[in-house]
Amino acid sequence: NCAALPEGLLESELFGHVKGAFTGAVSSKKGKFALADGGTIFLDEIGTMSPAVQAKLLRVLQEREFEPLGAERTEKVDLRVVAASNRDLRRMVTEGRFLEDLFYRLSVIPIHIPPLRERRDDIPALTDHFIGKHNQRTGKRIEKVEDAVLEAFRGYDWPGNVRELENTVERAVVLSPDPVITRREISLLGVTEATPVGLPSLKLHQNVDWVERETITRALQRAAGIKKDAAELLGISQRALSYYLAKHHIE
């Protein structure tokens, strides 16, 4: 996930480094490109890459080679690169924020996945999938959502896309006292008829945890899942956000 790491760490993660390349580099480390040699690497949120890292990636795609940080040698690789972004890369090219050559190198076989609001028929199947996923994680036994919930889901525009749907279902699974999720457990951003669920208990630490999780979830939804943007909305560092994500098991 390119958005999850600062530029310096991302470069080291992708291309690797040699011992002494920077402060804290006490040993050499292979990067993801070297580890993926002969296989496939998936780069998510590629639109968040800095121009410097974009240029290095372009070299990998064009020349099939790169240099680890601090190294004097060039390494050859043979791999397939699959990239994804929820940003408009073509517009970023015209704005000078994404390398044109890299854009066309990545666009060999483009696959456009429409936003959730344009494929509302997928919502019931995705909802069932996320219920099963979070049942397993939480130990709950939620069976389904009531018809009124599915109607609300179909009528909502989902600005946070599939991530927002999953976060909404996960929250409902955690809060629902019954096997069927009702409208009471659902809270959609900007939908005034949704009934607020309130605090989960009178235990202070449980309420603090709930507020932290709810606030972080909403920030991620507003930022379309991009952690750097979510951290800015929350007024905290990316490192602090990573701590809270791990603490509350938010993916």
Side-chain angles (χ1 to χ4, degrees):
N1 187 340
C2 300
L5 295 171
E7 178 182 348
L9 286 179
L10 177 61
E11 193 171 354
S12 174
E13 280 293 309
L14 292 178
F15 304 102
H17 63 259
V18 298
K19 181 179 179 180
F22 51 84
T23 302
V26 295
S27 62
S28 297
K29 176 185 175 182
K30 281 191 173 185
K32 294 295 190 288
F33 284 123
L35 294 173
D37 189 21
T40 302
I41 186 170
F42 175 60
L43 303 175
D44 197 11
E45 303 294 358
I46 197 169
T48 62
M49 275 187 177
S50 70
V53 179
Q54 290 177 35
K56 285 197 168 188
L57 174 58
L58 178 60
R59 182 184 178 190
V60 172
L61 296 177
Q62 286 183 331
E63 310 297 336
R64 301 291 177 178
E65 64 182 27
F66 66 93
E67 292 175 1
L69 290 178
E72 297 180 354
R73 71 185 188 282
T74 297
E75 294 189 14
K76 294 285 187 179
V77 287
D78 181 15
L79 48 71
R80 179 189 296 111
V81 175
V82 179
S85 177
N86 65 354
R87 299 185 178 186
D88 187 342
L89 296 183
R90 189 179 294 276
R91 186 170 69 179
M92 290 179 67
V93 168
T94 62
E95 294 172 350
R97 296 188 292 127
F98 199 83
L99 295 179
E100 185 175 17
D101 286 349
L102 178 58
F103 174 77
Y104 288 115
R105 278 286 178 180
L106 291 169
S107 300
V108 177
I109 306 178
I111 300 174
H112 174 66
I113 300 178
L116 191 56
R117 64 180 176 274
E118 295 179 10
R119 47 191 177 101
R120 299 178 191 271
D121 289 343
D122 291 348
I123 290 175
L126 287 169
T127 299
D128 288 342
H129 168 72
F130 292 138
I131 286 174
K133 175 181 177 180
H134 293 292
N135 270 343
Q136 186 175 23
R137 188 184 68 80
T138 61
K140 299 290 286 290
R141 294 184 178 180
I142 304 299
E143 297 174 0
K144 62 179 182 177
V145 299
E146 65 179 8
D147 291 343
V149 171
L150 280 182
E151 285 303 310
F153 283 180
R154 285 195 177 99
Y156 184 58
D157 280 341
W158 301 105
N161 221 339
V162 177
R163 286 191 182 98
E164 184 180 1
L165 174 61
E166 178 174 6
N167 290 338
T168 300
V169 172
E170 179 184 6
R171 181 167 58 247
V173 167
V174 171
L175 295 176
S176 179
D178 302 310
V180 178
I181 293 173
T182 67
R183 198 69 176 83
R184 184 181 64 253
E185 287 86 43
I186 299 300
S187 176
L188 302 175
L189 293 176
V191 180
T192 56
E193 67 268 23
T195 304
V197 295
L199 296 174
S201 75
L202 291 177
K203 300 292 186 182
L204 180 61
H205 72 279
Q206 291 180 359
N207 288 341
V208 170
D209 286 346
W210 184 84
V211 170
E212 285 180 353
R213 184 181 183 86
E214 186 77 6
T215 305
I216 290 168
T217 298
R218 287 178 176 243
L220 285 168
Q221 291 171 354
R222 187 70 58 85
I226 298 175
K227 294 177 183 177
K228 180 180 178 181
D229 295 346
E232 290 179 0
L233 288 173
L234 291 165
I236 60 177
S237 66
Q238 281 187 257
R239 176 173 292 184
L241 177 58
S242 296
Y243 164 78
Y244 286 113
L245 293 175
K247 175 183 176 182
H248 297 294
H249 306 288
I250 301 174
E251 296 181 359

